[in-house]
Amino acid sequence: MSDTAVNADTADTKERVLDEVRRYHRETAPDREFVPGVTEIWPSGAVLDEADRVAIVEAALTLRIAAGPSSRKFESAFAKRLKRRKAHLTNSGSSANLLAVSALTSHQLGDRRLKPGDEVITVAAGFPTTVNPILQNGLLPVFVDVDLATYNTTADRVAAAIGPKTRAIIIAHALGNPFEVAEVAQLAEEHGLFLIEDNCDAVGSTYDGRITGTFGALTTVSFYPAHHLTMGEGGCVLTSDLGLARIVESLRDWGRDCWCEPGKNNTCFKRFEYQMGNLPAGYDHKYIFSHVGYNLKGTDIQAALGLTQLDRLDGFIEARRRNWRRLREGLDGVPGLLLPEPTPRSEPSWFGFVITVDPEARFTRAELVAHLEERKIGTRRLFAGNLTRQPAYIDQPHRVVGDLTNSDIITEHTFWVGVYPGLTDEMLDYVTATIKEFVAQRG
């Protein structure tokens, strides 16, 4: 049998397998009937369809179990979507933050590099993995407070925190709501600081008409199931600085100096011509290491899922905005609740709908959350609340500028409910009605 005939038979077999996958997906689709108080309303989750299932199986059929063509294709498409020159996939958003901060400590940056003891400004109320890389690199986090309307810090607070040891700023766009990123980027430029945007919750958000993730030297994204796009696990570091991109790639890929993709050799055409460090001349470039790095790569199966998810990103963003507006309009004027507001001049791509129970209300956050959870409405805290009160950070070196009053209020009185695309109008209206019912009962 000729190679052409073999290839045709293989293609036919593959298509039959994928047709069976499509049939399986349709036959096993869950019952979508919503029963109030019985059907669980999750605060977040992945929205997966037939194309996603087919993409995962098709990628598995290639047995390309490491990073490969799908990874490169996703990196290129995602960089273009976020208007960055380079994107590097990672195994999680947390790893993306670790790589972004670690890249700023690289010896290849010369006098610009961050050194142990240098200060990095961040917010106290957030998720730990925005802050952990600061400590893990021997740097000092400088915490500032946030506003209760937007749950973001302000450029004024950041400016007040800049001191003689300040070298960088890393801030997340809270629950998809942009912080004053243009003003903070301007501060960074004026003071010679690096800015990292943690964009994990905010893919598709804009500030002054410009998408978030394009203001900083580096930006990070997560593809955990809760986020705008999912790969199951996964993340990404993006930048338009090719020097920083090369450092990120090295740190992600064991710290090696070589940039060949897995399974490739001699991309630079000088594999046995290098002399680096104290190694003998001609040492194999595939095994020369220029950084103390990690292995934080993703896989091609993950990337294949990311590609089909990316095709639906616009719809996901619009659904999140529509769901947020429905909750905001439905709960407007309910006594005892402080409702969220978009940052002025922004258009958020919302991650969740955050609610703070007024400390003077006739009920507590715990009582309202218990009422919602009993009725199968899932809730989440605003992540770690005030990180300086968490057991992991009490004895860690840090500095606080100003007070953390609002971060403490968030710790005591704040929670959020979902707006992800898997929620229906019926579900959202049930959430609104349940909250209103509870507040009315409390007079």
Side-chain angles (χ1 to χ4, degrees):
M1 184 179 293
S2 69
D3 289 345
T4 301
V6 169
N7 290 339
D9 285 347
T10 301
D12 288 344
T13 301
K14 174 183 173 182
E15 194 53 42
R16 286 197 301 272
V17 169
L18 297 181
D19 282 342
E20 286 298 306
V21 172
R22 295 181 183 98
R23 185 169 68 86
Y24 175 84
H25 183 88
R26 292 190 292 268
E27 290 179 353
T28 59
D31 181 5
R32 296 189 177 277
E33 180 186 4
F34 173 64
V35 180
V38 176
T39 305
E40 291 190 83
I41 300 176
W42 290 94
S44 62
V47 177
L48 302 169
D49 68 3
E50 182 179 298
D52 295 319
R53 193 184 295 270
V54 169
I56 292 171
V57 174
E58 186 173 17
L61 290 175
T62 70
L63 286 181
R64 179 76 191 203
I65 56 177
S70 293
S71 299
R72 301 293 85 78
K73 184 177 180 181
F74 181 88
E75 287 175 334
S76 177
F78 197 60
K80 183 177 181 180
R81 177 62 193 254
L82 265 66
K83 303 184 185 302
R84 303 276 81 180
R85 295 180 68 184
K86 295 290 289 186
H88 287 99
L89 277 175
T90 67
N91 59 4
S92 72
S94 303
S95 294
N97 280 345
L98 176 60
L99 287 170
V101 175
S102 299
L104 301 184
T105 71
S106 170
H107 60 90
Q108 293 182 0
L109 295 177
D111 291 340
R112 299 171 62 212
R113 69 180 292 197
L114 273 60
K115 302 180 182 66
D118 285 344
E119 295 185 348
V120 181
I121 298 170
T122 190
V123 301
F127 200 77
T129 56
T130 306
V131 175
N132 291 351
I134 301 171
L135 294 166
Q136 289 159 342
N137 278 283
L139 307 168
L140 188 80
V142 177
F143 292 111
V144 295
D145 206 7
V146 300
D147 282 343
L148 285 181
T150 66
Y151 298 89
N152 283 301
T153 194
T154 59
D156 287 345
R157 288 187 176 95
V158 173
I162 295 173
K165 293 185 177 181
T166 306
R167 299 297 308 282
I169 303 163
I170 177 170
I171 302 174
H173 299 288
L175 290 177
N177 197 13
F179 61 89
E180 294 174 345
V181 63
E183 291 85 346
V184 172
Q186 181 63 35
L187 282 172
E189 182 178 353
E190 290 171 357
H191 292 271
L193 311 176
F194 290 104
L195 171 62
I196 298 174
E197 288 179 77
D198 183 333
N199 205 42
C200 290
D201 291 352
V203 173
S205 295
T206 64
Y207 187 81
D208 278 348
R210 179 176 167 184
I211 60 172
T212 56
T214 63
F215 293 85
L218 293 154
T219 189
T220 60
V221 174
S222 172
F223 302 124
Y224 187 71
H227 290 286
H228 291 61
L229 302 176
T230 187
M231 295 183 183
E233 296 285 354
C236 198
V237 184
L238 301 102
T239 183
S240 289
D241 183 320
L242 296 184
L244 286 176
R246 182 68 194 93
I247 294 168
V248 168
E249 183 178 40
S250 175
L251 286 166
R252 182 196 65 177
D253 298 1
W254 304 285
R256 67 178 186 166
D257 197 73
C258 175
W259 57 88
C260 289
E261 295 180 16
K264 300 290 185 180
N265 294 312
N266 206 21
T267 303
C268 64
F269 299 106
K270 299 191 300 180
R271 178 179 171 188
F272 298 107
E273 299 177 24
Y274 287 89
Q275 199 290 309
M276 300 179 69
N278 294 321
L279 294 169
Y283 200 85
D284 189 346
H285 191 225
K286 287 178 71 71
Y287 293 98
I288 295 177
F289 298 88
S290 51
H291 290 93
V292 178
Y294 310 90
N295 178 6
L296 300 176
K297 298 186 300 299
T299 69
D300 237 36
I301 293 176
Q302 288 174 296
L305 174 57
L307 284 166
T308 55
Q309 288 271 296
L310 186 57
D311 287 341
R312 291 147 63 207
L313 178 58
D314 288 336
F316 289 159
I317 292 170
E318 180 50 40
R320 287 176 174 275
R321 287 172 175 162
R322 182 176 62 250
N323 292 346
W324 188 92
R325 287 194 300 267
R326 195 174 189 92
L327 288 174
R328 186 63 176 78
E329 291 166 3
L331 293 172
D332 191 43
V334 175
L337 303 182
L338 304 178
L339 299 182
E341 297 289 347
T343 301
R345 312 199 319 272
S346 79
E347 186 176 9
S349 175
W350 295 100
F351 182 73
F353 187 89
V354 63
I355 298 171
T356 295
V357 174
D358 190 324
E360 303 300 319
R362 296 186 179 184
F363 52 90
T364 66
R365 176 207 52 80
E367 291 169 340
L368 176 52
V369 164
H371 182 82
L372 293 170
E373 295 281 349
E374 287 169 3
R375 286 151 182 80
K376 304 298 183 181
I377 298 170
T379 66
R380 294 290 186 268
R381 303 301 293 266
L382 187 50
F383 308 129
N386 183 348
L387 278 163
T388 67
R389 296 173 60 178
Q390 289 276 353
Y393 303 94
I394 287 175
D395 295 325
Q396 293 289 345
H398 66 272
R399 188 163 68 89
V400 175
V401 175
D403 60 54
L404 299 179
T405 300
N406 291 337
S407 297
D408 285 332
I409 290 173
I410 288 168
T411 306
E412 304 288 346
H413 303 287
T414 300
F415 70 99
W416 59 271
V417 295
V419 297
Y420 79 103
L423 301 179
T424 64
D425 288 350
E426 190 177 10
M427 291 175 174
L428 296 166
D429 291 344
Y430 177 66
V431 173
T432 299
T434 303
I435 292 174
K436 286 181 172 180
E437 171 193 51
F438 171 84
V439 173
Q441 289 173 352
R442 297 306 176 104

